Amino acid sequence: MYRILSVFAVFVICLSAQAQPLSGNRDYFLYDTLPFSMGSGQVETPLMGGFNSPQFVQLDINNDGVLDMIVFDRHDQRIFPYIRKNGRWIYDKSYETSIPRLYDWIRVADLNSDNKPDIFTLNSISNLVIYLNTTVPGDKEVKFRSLGSQFYRNKYDTNFFILYNPLGLSRLDLPHIGDLDNDGDVDIVFYDPFNRSYSMYRDVRSEKGWPKDTFEFQDMDYCFGYFNEGLDNSFILGQCLYKEKLKPRHVGGASLLMFDNDEDGDYEMLASNVGFRKMTLLENGKAQTAGYYDTMVQVDSIFPSNTRRAAEFVFPSAYLADADADGVKDLLIAPSPSSDVKETSNIWYYKNYGKNNKPDFRFVQTDWLTDKTVDLGAKSAVAVCDYDNDGDQDLFVASNGDFEVTGGLKDRITLFENKGSRSLPEFVKVNDDYLNISQKGIADLVIKFGDVDGDKDVDLYFGERFGKVGWYRNTAGPGKALSLVFATDDLLKNTVNPGMENAAPALINYNNDTLPDMLLGMYNGRVALYVNQGSVGNPSYVLAVGNAWGMRANEWNTDINPPGFLSFGYAMPEVVDLDKDGQQEVLLGSLHGKVRMYKIAGRSIYDSLSAMEGWFWQRTVSDSIEPDLGNRVNVAAADLNNDSIPELLFGNGRGGLHFAKIQAAKVAGIRKTALPEIPLVYPNPAFDRVTVSRKNIAERWTLRLMDASGRFCREWVMLPGERQFSANIAGFSPGFYTIGIYNGARSAAVPLCIGIKP
């Protein structure tokens, strides 16, 4: 009886609560307006973050009748919308939310023959997902509806107990998706590593006479093109280990690009493989032999043979896109792996002087798009210091340079000197290997400036891959240009246990004495605190706690049972008085692209704090979501424009930069507006699962579960097209919670009671 009454009381209290808009100050916004020069003049879009493994597809993003470009970087699953305006490619981050979540690769093809390209990608478990393009005239941006994970019809008869299997495709490869038999529907060709051949899934809509909104993929050809690959990246024509070819049935690690190269109506194959530095073109003889199946009859192993070969970096991938807007598709080639690739000058552009079905590709440049941004390779880490004592702040960026050149073992520091004014900074690259630090053989270099030894001048200190902290002592004294001398590569003398690698240090005034203490972010996502027990000029840092204030950079993972934080996070702290109230905050960079803020003032280092919400947003009110800055994001805070308010600079795994500041007219903060719809949350009280149901299915919603003290518990996403979402809440203690619902500048909070299961 007591249990029933308790549940009833909780239920009544929940029903009496009203959904309220979540308030929060919107302080920092991403900006593109910070001038950089790299030797050849001012960089056009310096702050978009760089490229490592970009992929390219074209569709009309802003629905103006002109094809735009989606650049998707496989390295950290980041989306970059480029709008075609007045003959130029303009990066516009405001369209990021128009593109659905992508994993590992993107292809576009017209699934339902409505002349609108649909998106094909993977989900987190590598099954094919299709997003149908639902844009209509009058829409201001492209819209998609998820068709969910796809299945294919296997080769078995209708009396077999399994007829359909998940359409799983490799995360590492890049399939071709398009109409290969010119019958109006979409086919998929992909690499089969077990048989070292290519296979095909064919949409049988045309063969079956089905309407355009009906499709079914059937596995059709287990040796597409009738050839095998050798272990040495050779192509052996006329042979197949597995020759099975099928007819349509009734319902009961390679990179690949296909195009018509010789104007005969069939499709040649341009392929590359993991570990090799070349692309191979295979000529299709299907048209010449009038055959039913595609058969490759000739190999061009030095493609493109008439111009500079695409053979100067490992595992290249090819893409067709109209790069110069002349109506003919050009060739773009970029690295395919997600890491350890060619990381600078890595988008090769070949202009097509021929036709779409008989191209004549000729090399133009190695740095298409990358010449318009600051891209220093990979793993950029930022620090700010007035190194020449001229009264303005200069920028230092650590990076690996380029894995293809350095092997990731010769990280360096690029110095951008501020040659503007105190109120209008302008950064000019003056040194690409400051202190010749690349000669020290450091990997995963993270740098900071501060008074390490308490002698009132600014030193350089750094962390590295194996968990150690190094130090360059400033011998110039206070108020002078830096004069740095290497002091040690083991400042903390710390024991590095598993999980404590990838040191990211940040000085902090923890105990209010005259000696600086140190936070140390680590691979495991935690932040340790070291207290300085030495003397002026002779620092001695001693570990105080391995998980200070409970801060963590780990991402919450819902793909495990029970859900929980990932075991790694690459925590990278920055200590700053962000709101100028005389109290220190910690900004914590992470592997998963978000920067968390912790207010530590007056709290015990043994407390477990929740990160603050609502302090950092995208550029404009209309697209003001929390930005994803890419993996291994880190931050440096400094007053760059002499307004006494810190600005923020970010580095990331792609070797680029981002910049954020407070909106000039909005320093006091902007209040978030309420959602026009309060969704239905049921059952309430809930026990094992709770469902969120809504009317407006066109928007992407972020759902955050918070306990009664405001502590973050779990996060989910409702994608465009989803009317309902069922969330697993099993394992949470009974009590009062709130589901915060966020969509851009709007939000709401719905009370939720987790009850005692009868």
Side-chain angles (χ1 to χ4, degrees), residues 384-385 448-461 471-475 477-478 482 484 491 506-509 513-518 532 535-539 541:
V384 178
C385 173
K448 293 290 182 184
F449 287 95
D451 185 6
V452 171
D453 54 359
D455 64 355
K456 308 302 183 185
D457 61 14
V458 177
D459 309 301
L460 171 67
Y461 58 105
W471 171 32
Y472 281 83
R473 186 195 302 267
N474 184 5
T475 62
L482 295 188
L484 298 176
L491 176 64
L507 292 180
I508 183 172
N509 185 11
D513 61 10
T514 58
L515 297 175
D517 309 300
M518 185 174 290
N532 190 346
S535 59
V536 173
N538 294 289
Y541 290 93

Side-chain angles (χ1 to χ4, degrees), residues 135-168:
T135 315
V136 297
D139 287 340
K140 299 300 183 183
E141 58 189 34
V142 67
K143 294 182 179 179
F144 293 95
R145 175 170 61 88
S146 175
L147 299 181
S149 298
Q150 298 302 307
F151 285 71
Y152 72 95
R153 170 72 189 276
N154 59 44
K155 65 181 180 180
Y156 299 108
D157 295 328
T158 56
N159 59 356
F160 194 73
F161 73 101
I162 295 177
L163 294 180
Y164 292 89
N165 298 88
L167 210 164

